[in-house]
């Protein structure tokens, strides 16, 4: 594909020039010209009032991978931590089941470093087949053996779609596998669909710091790989009666060059309960100081919830990084998210917008957080929240 | 020891906005910056150089204006700067970018390759690990601390979802770094003088003898189909009134979903 300006139609108005995030639209002889540094991000396509910016499909990339129709099925990489399946694997199996059913193909899972009990669990969550390598050396994550095993499964079984969680593990070794197989890989997706007619995977993800969403596809190559953000796909379809097959695979042939010498759990860096919390009370710069979190902590305590924070509040040093929600923090999906003194920067919203209910308390009626809040309270959090705490305590008789 | 740092010039995405009516980017006056994570990679290279002595080369693939980014890192103390620029590279996705950068790094030679965790325009975090695969060397992602480094071995902390791992690897190795690793230094006056004068080395696909089928658009499996504005919630309810009334409403909502 190429994006070009139709010089007949271009009036030289320059509207498109500033729409390009890469500065690759320049004026040449009073007409706009898209130079070779165009990244094909398509930001300019709809800005031209004359419709002079068009995309031209040139002959598709000829990456030779054999016949695309040879590839069938959906494969999910099931991450384990200390032998226990990570929740994101169940989310992926639920999403993978939907995709596989739409395509009428089987769903399989790859599990490394856990046992048959864990593999059987994956079948209940929707897998028809589990490729299991239960070698104990794989319980600790190393990129190279994981890449070797997954590549081997893909080459042998030719799935058309391969998914992993966009976790530290998935985002680290999937790029190696994609590099090896010359496969397209879309990072950190928040939604997956199948394109009607073509059977192509439409991988939808935030880009430019969450300011825009992009749909990515790999029309000419297989498998189509994607990492999917944890907590955005809902789990469904658990069935203890489902039957499936566990296929044991050999351990990797090459020794890992990296060696994990220690695994340290550190709650101060990563608040584990945040992602599983049903109630999150979150604070931003509007708290004005660390003391604000004392007020929020009291409310969260009464509701059985957890504290969240915007990056601004974390950067101010009012609360630890483990509480940060957003693009560079955690993605959360509680029943209710109460955002207090948070303006609603896109980078924050991408981490919490799939919460069931969002309540925003903000002094400024123009704050963008109100655009995504189900309930907007325009007011001072230091007036509203203490009153709410008092009432709840009164009701509970404490 | 030879260290290569891969840096990328990116639009400062915190200032990019989208016009929800037209679904287009509003980028007026958004400056180009060095990808913030890459600044930490440069600092890591310079710290190793301070400790053990090393030759630090910064490398970027991009348009001629990316020279400015390279010069900025020379001002910080990098010894050499290389720009990969060629029409054939246009339209590269992470696969083709990593393929090209890996070829350049093999051509230049390196014991340690440093990348940022991710670039803030695409946020993919894919280029680093993919470079390591193309070079057939190990990599360690999300490095938050370099515990020790010698001429043939390195030990680091790797941030994981529930804590961190301590990971060892032999050199040559590629690391992708997070911002907790260090505080990037300021440019020195001497550095700034050097940055002005330094000749930036340029490489194209010819010097690297690369197969054109693996470059740019042709070598890129992924395509952007379309872009659109993030969705907004529709059922918005504004809770007005006195703080007492607002607190009361908040409690009704909490009761309705059985939180209290
Ligand atoms: C690459 C990148 C990644 C990022 N990642 C993240 C991320 O993961 N998470 C994240 O949160 N941010 C992230 N950010 C930062 C983000 O752009 C914003 O800067 C940040 O979210 C703003 O935090 P805030 O809403 O708390 O502060 P502000 O924007 O300063 O908003 C404070 C709000 O509080 C209100 N207020 C003040 N006093 C009161 C009061 N007494 N009562 C009620 N309301 C009050 C104000 O009206 C204002 O709306 C990222 C930025 C970049 C560039
Ligand atoms: N065009 C490029 N030139 C040099 N380095 C790059 C380029 N693109 C990505 N990188 C490196 O790869 C890292 C991850 O980028 P990304 O995979 O795009 O998120 C960046 O932090 C850079 O270190």
């Amino acid at each position: 594909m190429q994006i070009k300006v139709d010089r007949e139609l271009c009036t030289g108005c320059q509207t498109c020039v500033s729409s390009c995030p890469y500065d690759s639209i320049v004026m040449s002889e009073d007409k706009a010209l898209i130079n070779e540094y165009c990244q094909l991000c398509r930001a300019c396509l709809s800005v031209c009032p004359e419709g002079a910016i068009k995309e031209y499909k040139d002959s598709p990339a000829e990456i030779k991978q054999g016949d695309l129709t040879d590839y069938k099925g959906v494969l999910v990489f099931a991450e384990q931590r200390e032998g226990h399946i990570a929740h994101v694997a169940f989310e992926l199996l639920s999403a993978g089941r939907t995709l596989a059913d739409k395509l009428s193909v089987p769903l399989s899972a790859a599990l490394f470093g856990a046992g048959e009990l864990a593999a059987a669990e994956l079948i209940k969550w929707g897998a028809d087949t589990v490729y299991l390598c239960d070698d104990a050396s794989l319980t600790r994550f190393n990129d190279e053996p994981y890449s070797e095993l997954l590549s081997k499964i893909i080459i042998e079984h030719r799935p058309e779609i391969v998914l992993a969680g966009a976790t530290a593990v998935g985002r680290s070794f999937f790029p190696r596998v994609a590099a090896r197989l010359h496969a397209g890989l879309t990072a950190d997706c928040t939604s997956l669909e199948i394109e009607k007619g073509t059977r192509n995977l439409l991988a939808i993800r935030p880009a430019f710091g969450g300011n825009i969403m992009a749909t990515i596809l790999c029309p000419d190559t297989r498998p189509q790989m994607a990492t999917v953000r944890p907590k955005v796909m809902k789990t469904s379809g658990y069935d203890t009666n489902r039957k499936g097959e566990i296929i044991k695979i050999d351990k990797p042939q090459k020794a890992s060059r990296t060696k994990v010498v220690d695994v340290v759990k550190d709650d101060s860096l990563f608040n584990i309960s945040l992602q599983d919390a049903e109630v999150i009370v979150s604070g931003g710069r509007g708290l004005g100081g660390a003391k604000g979190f004392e007020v929020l902590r009291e409310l969260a305590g009464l509701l059985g919830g957890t504290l969240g924070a915007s990056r601004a509040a974390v950067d101010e040093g009012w609360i630890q990084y483990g509480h940060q929600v957003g693009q560079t923090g955690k993605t959360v999906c509680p029943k209710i998210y109460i955002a207090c003194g948070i303006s609603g920067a896109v980078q924050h919203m991408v981490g919490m917008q799939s919460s069931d209910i969002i309540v925003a308390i903000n002094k400024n009626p123009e704050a963008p957080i109100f655009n995504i809040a189900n309930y907007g309270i325009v007011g001072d959090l230091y007036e509203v929240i203490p009153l709410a705490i008092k009432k709840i305590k009164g009701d509970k008789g404490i | 020891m030879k260290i290569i740092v891969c840096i990328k010039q990116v639009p400062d995405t915190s200032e990019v906005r989208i016009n929800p009516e037209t679904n287009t980017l509003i980028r007026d006056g958004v400056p180009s910056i060095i990808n913030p994570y890459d600044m930490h990679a440069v600092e890591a290279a310079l710290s190793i150089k301070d400790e053990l002595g090393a030759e630090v080369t910064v490398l970027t693939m991009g348009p001629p204006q990316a020279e400015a980014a390279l010069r900025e890192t020379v001002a910080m103390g990098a010894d050499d700067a290389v720009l990969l620029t060629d029409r054939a590279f246009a339209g590269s996705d992470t696969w083709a970018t990593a393929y090209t950068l890996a070829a350049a790094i093999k051509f230049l030679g390196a014991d340690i390759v440093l990348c940022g965790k991710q670039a803030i325009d695409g946020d993919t975090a894919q280029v680093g690990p993919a470079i390591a695969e193309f070079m057939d060397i190990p990599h360690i992602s999300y490095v938050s601390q370099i515990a020790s480094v010698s001429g043939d071995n390195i030990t680091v902390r790797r941030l994981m979802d529930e804590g961190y791992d301590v990971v060892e690897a032999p050199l040559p190795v590629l690391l992708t770094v997070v911002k907790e690793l260090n505080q990037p230094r300021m440019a020195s006056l001497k550095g700034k003088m050097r940055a002005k004068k330094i000749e930036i080395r340029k490489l194209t696909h010819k010097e690297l003898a690369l197969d054109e089928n693996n470059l740019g658009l042709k070598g890129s499996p992924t395509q952007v189909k379309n872009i659109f504005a993030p969705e907004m919630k529709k059922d918005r309810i504004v809770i007005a009134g006195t703080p007492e009334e607002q607190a009361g409403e908040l409690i009704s909502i909490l009761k309705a979903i059985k939180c209290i």
Side-chain angles (χ1 to χ4, degrees), chain A residues 1 17-23 36-38 40-43 46-47 58 61 63 79 81 141 143-144 167-169 171-172 175-176 178-180 182-187 195 202 204-205 207-221 257-266 269-270 272 279 302-303 327-328 330 335-336 338 346-347 353 355-359 361 370-379 383-384 387-388 391-392 395-396, chain B residues 8-9 11 13-18 22-28 32 37 62-65 85-87 90-95 117-118 120-127 129-130 132-134 136-142 155 158-170 173 179-180 213-214 217-233 235-240 243-248 250-251 253-255 257-260:
Chain A
M1 190 189 71
V17 172
S18 67
S19 79
C20 175
Y22 293 99
D23 279 328
E36 65 269 34
Y37 304 111
C38 168
L40 300 172
C41 78
R42 307 170 67 103
S46 51
V47 296
D58 42 25
I63 301 167
E79 183 174 339
R81 294 177 188 163
F141 168 65
D143 293 274
E144 290 178 285
T167 59
V169 168
R171 292 188 77 177
S172 186
R176 285 194 90 112
R180 194 176 294 191
H182 206 155
L185 170 58
T186 307
E195 192 175 44
L202 300 176
I204 297 158
R205 69 182 303 265
F208 291 101
N211 288 292
I212 61 167
M213 303 297 291
T215 311
I216 313 284
L217 91 180
C218 311
D220 309 308
T221 56
R257 284 175 284 192
T258 56
K259 197 171 141 223
V260 178
V261 291
D262 201 5
V263 175
V264 182
K265 280 208 176 182
D266 189 344
L269 281 172
F270 298 97
I272 301 159
V279 179
L302 289 169
L303 303 176
Q327 192 197 341
T328 43
K330 291 283 179 192
K335 272 210 251 170
I336 186 164
I338 307 174
V346 215
Q347 294 91 349
Q353 63 195 4
S355 305
D356 291 350
I357 294 178
I358 296 168
V359 180
I361 307 177
F370 289 125
N371 290 331
I372 64 155
N374 304 76
Y375 299 97
I377 298 178
V378 180
E383 290 181 17
V384 179
L387 283 168
K391 281 199 169 115
I392 297 172
D395 286 354
K396 288 191 174 180
Chain B
K8 186 177 186 188
Q9 198 179 41
T13 52
S14 57
E15 301 196 22
V16 178
R17 287 286 170 273
I18 194 154
T22 56
N23 261 3
T24 51
L25 287 179
I26 310 165
R27 196 228 42 182
D28 281 327
S32 283
Y37 295 102
Q65 41 299 14
T85 188
D86 191 326
R87 266 170 200 278
S92 295
D93 73 353
T94 57
W95 195 96
K117 168 183 115 172
Q118 61 193 45
I120 60 166
D121 54 349
D123 286 326
T124 78
Q126 287 173 187
V127 168
E133 178 67 24
F134 286 121
D136 191 18
I137 61 172
H139 84 273
I140 308 170
S141 303
Y142 321 115
T155 305
R158 165 175 75 187
L159 282 192
M160 299 296 282
D161 290 312
E162 296 175 354
Y164 60 86
D165 290 348
V166 180
V167 187
E168 257 173 37
V173 68
K179 67 176 197 309
E180 289 76 11
N213 283 318
N214 285 338
L217 193 56
K218 258 190 174 170
S220 299
T222 59
Q223 287 183 8
V224 182
K225 182 176 151 55
N226 62 345
I227 60 164
F228 54 94
E231 224 175 274
M232 302 290 172
K233 288 232 159 129
D235 51 342
R236 281 180 278 157
I237 298 170
V238 176
I239 301 173
E244 280 83 7
E245 288 162 348
Q246 291 176 323
L250 175 58
I251 286 168
I253 299 164
L254 292 166
K255 280 189 175 148
I257 60 163
K258 303 201 166 51
C259 266
I260 38 177

Side-chain angles (χ1 to χ4, degrees), chain A residues 284-285 310-311 325-328 341 343 347-348 362-363 380-381:
Chain A
R285 196 178 349 243
S310 74
R311 173 159 146 188
V325 171
Q327 192 197 341
T328 43
S343 62
Q347 294 91 349
H348 186 77
N362 196 304
K363 273 207 266 200
D380 188 335
L381 70 98

Side-chain angles (χ1 to χ4, degrees), chain A residues 314-361:
Chain A
V314 173
D315 284 351
E316 294 282 357
W318 300 338
I319 191 162
Q320 284 163 326
Y321 171 71
H323 293 272
Q324 184 169 317
V325 171
Q327 192 197 341
T328 43
K330 291 283 179 192
T331 303
V332 297
C333 186
K335 272 210 251 170
I336 186 164
Y337 189 92
I338 307 174
C340 309
I342 292 178
S343 62
V346 215
Q347 294 91 349
H348 186 77
M349 301 211 278
V350 294
M352 43 66 84
Q353 63 195 4
S354 47
S355 305
D356 291 350
I357 294 178
I358 296 168
V359 180
I361 307 177

